[in-house]
Amino acid sequence: MPADTTTLPAPSIAAQLAAFAHGLTPDMLPAAVVEQAKLLMLDALGIALASSQHDFAHCAYRGLHALGGAGDSAVMGAFAPLPLRDAVLMNGILVHGLDFDDTHPGAITHPSASAFPLALGLAAQRHASGAEMIMTYVLAIEVAARLGAAAQGRFHDVGFHPTGLVGAFGCALAAGKLMGLDQAGLEHAQGVVLSMASGSMEFLSDGAWTKRMHSGWAGVSGLTATALAGAGFRGPSQPYEGRFGLYASHLAARGLNADLSLCARGLGERWELMDVAVKLYPTCHFTHASIDAALALRAAGLRTDEIASVQVLLPQGVHPVVCEPVAAKRRPANVYESQFSIHHLVALALLRGELGLAELDAANLSDPQVQALADRIEHAADPDADYPTFFSGELRVRTHDGRELRHREAAHRGAPGRPITAADIEAKFMGNALLTLPREQALRLLDALLTADRAPDAAVLAQTLTHSNTSGTL
C-alpha cells in the first residue's frame, strides 16, 4: 500500500496557547522568572496603595459597592472586600490608576495590571498556594505579551488599548488554569472572551478616567468567559486568526497586518515576563526616554532661562498618544492628561529637575513657567527609533546665545538591555506604600510578597497584602 501522506492541519493559536496553559506547572518556571514575578507584583501592589488615596479610586469603589455590595475578596488598600469579579476590577483600577505600572515594550501593554488582580483574587478564592498564584500570574503575562507583540504596535494606531484587549485573553487562560479546565475548555474560554475584550483610546481626547478600568475589565472578562466555558458554554475555535477574529476585526479591516507567528512562539522556552519594564516615572512609558534626556541636560548644567526652543524626537508611532493634538498637549486640562503630554512633561523635568507623583499636581498645570516652556517645545519623528522594541527619546535644545545641546536615550530604562535592579523596584514600592502606610507595615507587605512562592494559602497571603478590613472606606 502507498504511504499515507495526509498532512494534518496545524493547531490553531488558541489550541497552542491552551496546550501550554494546561501543561504548565509551578516547577516549570525558572527561578529567575519566579523572582522577577514577585518583584513585578510588588511594584503593582505599591502603585495600588498609592492610588487608593485618589478620587478615582473612591468613586470606583463606591460604584462597585453599590452594584454588588460587600463580598469576601480582598481589595488593595484600606477598602473592605468585594465580590470576586468586583474586586478584580477594583484592584485593576488601583494598579493601573496612576499610569505608574509596568509595560511590556514589544506588546505595548501593561500586563501586571490585569494579571496580578486576577491571579491574586482567584487564587485566594480557591485557596491555591502562593506558587500556584505566581504560576497563574506568569501565564497571563506570557499570553498577553505574545498577543500584543503580534500586533506590532498597531492596536494603538486604530484607537484600541492593548492592555484591555490582549489582557483579557491572558486572564482567561490564567483563570482556566486555576479553575482546572481541560484543554478543550481553555480553548473555548479564549473564544468566549473574544466577545468581551475591549479598550478604547478615546480617553486621550479629554483625560477621561476610562483607561484606568481597562486592565481590571480584562480580568473580569477573562474570569467571566472562563466560568462560562467551564460550564460548557462554547466559543469560536479561531478567536485570533479567524475571519472576524481579534486581528482581522481590529487590524486587517483597516489595512494593517499582524505577525501571527509571534502569538505562540517560544512558549515555555523564552519568558516574556523577563522583558517587562518597570516604570520610574508615573507617566506614559512613551515619554520616559525623553524625560531622562531632559533630566540629563539639566543635570549637566542647562538652565531653563537659557532655552530658546526644544525639539523632542520620538518614534512616529507614539505621536498620536503623547504629542498630538499639540494645543491640547501644551495645555493639559487635568493631571491625567498631563501624563500623556510630552510637551508638559519635558517642561516639568527641565524646570523641576525630577518627575514623580509630587510634580504631577494640579498647580503645575497652570504654572506660567511650565506653560511658557511647553510653548517652546516641538516634536518630530525619530528616524533612528527601534519601535516598538524600544521607546527612544532625544532632546535638541537651542539656547538664546545660539548653542545647540543634545541628549539621546535610545531606549527607556527598564527596557531589554537596560534593566533596573531589584533594589530599585523595592525602593519604588516603599516610596509608594509609605504614602498610605507606616514603615513597619509596608515592610511586612514587602516581605510577604517577596516570599509568596512559599505561602501555603493564597487567601492568607491576599489578606496580608491588601491589609483589608471589614469596615473599609467609601
Side-chain angles (χ1 to χ4, degrees), residues 11-20 183 187 190 237 240:
S12 68
I13 295 169
Q16 295 176 65
L17 295 175
F20 172 68
Q183 187 168 327
E187 291 184 46
Q190 295 170 81
S237 61
Y240 307 110

Side-chain angles (χ1 to χ4, degrees), residues 35-76:
E35 292 306 306
Q36 186 68 6
K38 291 186 293 185
L39 287 168
L40 293 176
M41 290 189 290
L42 180 72
D43 179 53
L45 174 62
I47 299 160
L49 295 172
S51 291
S52 67
Q53 61 186 337
H54 288 259
D55 286 347
F56 70 82
H58 291 272
C59 289
Y61 185 84
R62 287 197 300 270
L64 292 172
H65 189 274
L67 180 66
D72 57 5
S73 287
V75 177
M76 300 177 198

Side-chain angles (χ1 to χ4, degrees), residues 39-353:
L39 287 168
L40 293 176
M41 290 189 290
L42 180 72
D43 179 53
L45 174 62
I47 299 160
L49 295 172
S51 291
S52 67
Q53 61 186 337
H54 288 259
D55 286 347
F56 70 82
H58 291 272
C59 289
Y61 185 84
R62 287 197 300 270
L64 292 172
H65 189 274
L67 180 66
D72 57 5
S73 287
V75 177
M76 300 177 198
F79 294 102
L82 291 170
L84 176 60
R85 280 190 290 180
D86 292 342
V88 169
L89 176 54
M90 184 66 207
N91 285 330
I93 290 171
L94 290 170
V95 174
H96 194 44
L98 297 178
D99 228 276
F100 208 179
D101 50 317
D102 60 33
T103 305
H104 185 281
I108 319 180
T109 186
H110 301 274
S112 289
S114 59
F116 184 40
L118 182 280
L120 180 67
L122 189 55
Q125 186 196 65
R126 302 184 74 85
H127 295 281
S129 68
E132 290 171 319
M133 181 196 77
I134 292 171
M135 173 196 66
T136 304
Y137 165 80
V138 172
L139 172 59
I141 287 183
E142 292 302 309
V143 171
R146 285 170 169 80
L147 298 179
Q152 303 174 95
R154 295 189 175 99
F155 283 140
H156 278 100
D157 295 345
V158 292
F160 292 103
H161 187 205
T163 295
L165 288 178
V166 299
F169 293 95
C171 286
L173 284 164
K177 182 65 178 179
L178 277 176
M179 291 180 181
L181 269 62
D182 61 17
Q183 187 168 327
L186 292 168
E187 291 184 46
H188 283 295
Q190 295 170 81
V192 175
V193 87
L194 172 64
S195 290
M196 302 178 180
S198 62
S200 166
M201 297 290 290
E202 182 58 23
F203 72 89
L204 287 170
S205 297
D206 53 15
W209 291 359
T210 48
K211 181 177 183 284
R212 292 181 164 114
M213 63 173 278
H214 291 169
S215 55
W217 194 252
V220 168
S221 298
L223 183 62
T224 305
T226 303
L228 291 172
F233 201 86
R234 299 178 63 84
S237 61
Q238 293 192 317
Y240 307 110
E241 64 270 64
R243 182 165 60 109
F244 298 114
L246 177 69
Y247 298 102
S249 60
H250 288 71
L251 299 180
R254 294 164 171 81
L256 300 173
N257 296 318
D259 184 354
L260 299 189
S261 71
L262 299 179
C263 292
R265 179 181 295 174
L267 285 166
E269 298 173 1
R270 171 182 169 79
W271 297 92
E272 295 293 333
L273 176 138
M274 300 303 291
D275 285 343
V276 173
V278 171
K279 286 187 175 184
L280 296 179
Y281 307 118
T283 67
C284 177
H285 230 138
F286 294 159
T287 68
H288 284 209
S290 301
I291 293 170
D292 275 338
L295 293 175
L297 287 171
R298 179 184 163 102
L302 176 66
R303 302 192 317 272
T304 53
D305 60 4
E306 298 177 293
I307 297 174
S309 65
V310 179
Q311 185 182 57
V312 186
L313 276 62
L314 306 95
Q316 183 72 51
V318 313
H319 288 195
V321 179
V322 298
C323 303
E324 300 162 352
V326 173
K329 295 301 184 183
R330 285 180 172 154
R331 295 292 185 274
N334 52 59
V335 171
Y336 200 55
E337 280 192 38
S338 75
Q339 292 173 286
F340 297 85
S341 165
I342 198 67
H343 307 79
H344 182 79
L345 294 171
V346 168
L348 268 182
L350 288 169
L351 281 162
R352 304 290 186 255

